[in-house]
Amino acid sequence: MSISQQEVTRLITKIREKYSEYSSQNSGWFNPEPFEDRLRMAVSNRMNMEGFILAEIANFEKLRESYEKKKKGNGFSKQIQNIIDENTARIRKYPQIDFHPRAGFEISHFYGAMAEFSLGCFPVFRILKIKAQSRDRAIEIERQLEFLAGERGSRPSRRIEDHVMILSRKGVPELDIERDASAYLRECAFVLHDAADLAEALIEERSDEWESPLNFSGLYLEDSRKKKLMGNYSGMTGYGALMFIRDRAYEIIEDFRLGAFRK
């Protein structure tokens, strides 16, 4: 059951109190300003506040636990390094697209993950027999994916080109670069959640036609894209394809820690 707006407000107050309490011990570790920035962003983007609050509570508890371990000196540095190594390994498994010398490690791999999903995964909806309303949703999601991650020959996606403009600006502050990179991850997270939700809804809807193996004869894509798509879905039924899309979208969301960013 969803929590009420009153409960959301109470939990926000509680998180603020916790940051205030612990920042008096170590303001570097428990600086409340990033939380307030994320909160403003969540409100302005009309995010799912229940998911956002639960993620923030979990984040604070992990931070508090790490801080307490540091104070006790129980191999804290090694634990932190293990966490960093684990997160890096999760990101590194996705292809890296070097679109600008100043582009960060995370966004380069995230763009690679999104390009792979946009070009080699989602277009399978073009050959699935689905109802008009779901078809319209799939077309809109694919349009957004093309804008965010659809490479155009040697040129990056239109949204990445916007980021390149910021990276190329002389004297641009690092904060501006980080803000736009974060905005890109957030925008993509919204679309990934939409893609997963659509696939999940269709899986629950059920159709006898999706029990059969996929037929790629009616799929019109350039050869390299079609070959990539067919490789991903080789031997799958329609249901298998829907589960593949859902699971891949959730995997990217989890690996880049974007679970709270949904509409």
Side-chain angles (χ1 to χ4, degrees):
M1 185 176 70
S2 299
I3 61 178
S4 66
Q5 181 58 48
Q6 183 179 5
E7 184 68 1
V8 167
T9 302
R10 189 187 71 81
L11 290 173
I12 290 173
T13 301
K14 190 69 175 177
I15 293 172
R16 282 172 170 156
E17 290 173 352
K18 286 294 183 182
Y19 271 107
S20 177
E21 175 186 348
Y22 278 85
S23 65
S24 63
Q25 300 178 37
N26 191 311
S27 59
W29 273 71
F30 298 97
N31 182 1
E33 291 182 7
F35 165 71
E36 296 294 343
D37 289 341
R38 292 192 297 271
L39 176 60
R40 282 191 292 271
M41 182 179 68
V43 173
S44 65
N45 285 282
R46 298 181 179 179
M47 286 174 50
N48 180 312
M49 293 305 294
E50 178 179 354
F52 172 79
I53 290 298
L54 293 178
E56 286 295 331
I57 291 173
N59 178 66
F60 183 88
E61 287 304 311
K62 287 181 180 179
L63 184 63
R64 182 191 60 78
E65 181 180 356
S66 296
Y67 176 69
E68 295 296 341
K69 286 181 178 179
K70 180 187 178 184
K71 289 199 302 182
K72 294 177 181 178
N74 291 335
F76 174 77
S77 296
K78 184 177 180 179
Q79 292 174 32
I80 290 298
Q81 189 59 50
N82 288 341
I83 292 172
I84 293 173
D85 290 344
E86 180 183 345
N87 288 338
T88 300
R90 285 187 170 192
I91 293 172
R92 199 184 294 277
K93 72 182 182 183
Y94 297 99
Q96 183 175 16
I97 299 179
D98 295 316
F99 56 88
H100 193 278
R102 295 185 67 185
F105 170 82
E106 183 175 37
I107 193 173
S108 297
H109 281 277
F110 185 68
Y111 176 37
M114 290 301 301
E116 192 175 59
F117 185 79
S118 174
L119 302 178
C121 297
F122 197 81
V124 76
F125 268 105
R126 298 185 186 186
I127 61 172
L128 289 174
K129 294 182 179 180
I130 56 180
K131 295 177 181 178
Q133 185 176 5
S134 297
R135 172 72 58 196
D136 289 344
R137 284 183 64 191
I139 291 172
E140 175 58 21
I141 292 171
E142 185 166 0
R143 184 193 67 79
Q144 293 177 46
L145 286 169
E146 286 286 343
F147 171 73
L148 291 165
E151 294 180 283
R152 298 164 295 156
S154 61
R155 298 173 64 186
S157 71
R158 290 180 175 83
R159 179 60 180 86
I160 286 296
E161 276 194 339
D162 292 342
H163 189 59
V164 169
M165 289 178 63
I166 294 176
L167 292 169
S168 302
R169 194 181 303 157
K170 186 177 180 180
V172 62
E174 286 295 328
L175 182 59
D176 288 353
I177 295 173
E178 287 298 323
R179 282 175 175 168
D180 192 63
S182 296
Y184 177 71
L185 266 69
R186 181 179 68 246
E187 292 160 16
C188 290
F190 291 156
V191 181
L192 287 170
H193 275 114
D194 286 346
D197 289 345
L198 174 58
E200 185 66 44
L202 290 172
I203 291 169
E204 294 178 359
E205 182 180 306
R206 305 198 64 77
S207 171
D208 291 341
E209 293 178 332
W210 301 337
E211 299 283 359
S212 302
L214 293 171
N215 183 355
F216 295 96
S217 61
L219 179 64
Y220 298 100
L221 287 173
E222 61 185 66
D223 289 343
S224 59
R225 289 185 63 182
K226 186 172 182 178
K227 184 177 180 180
K228 176 69 173 177
L229 194 80
M230 292 176 66
N232 283 336
Y233 293 102
S234 177
M236 289 191 190
T237 63
Y239 277 113
L242 290 170
M243 288 187 285
F244 181 85
I245 289 174
R246 178 199 61 189
D247 295 346
R248 180 58 59 88
Y250 282 142
E251 183 180 15
I252 297 172
I253 289 167
E254 181 179 353
D255 286 341
F256 288 89
R257 304 170 305 283
L258 298 170
F261 295 98
R262 64 182 304 148
K263 296 176 183 175

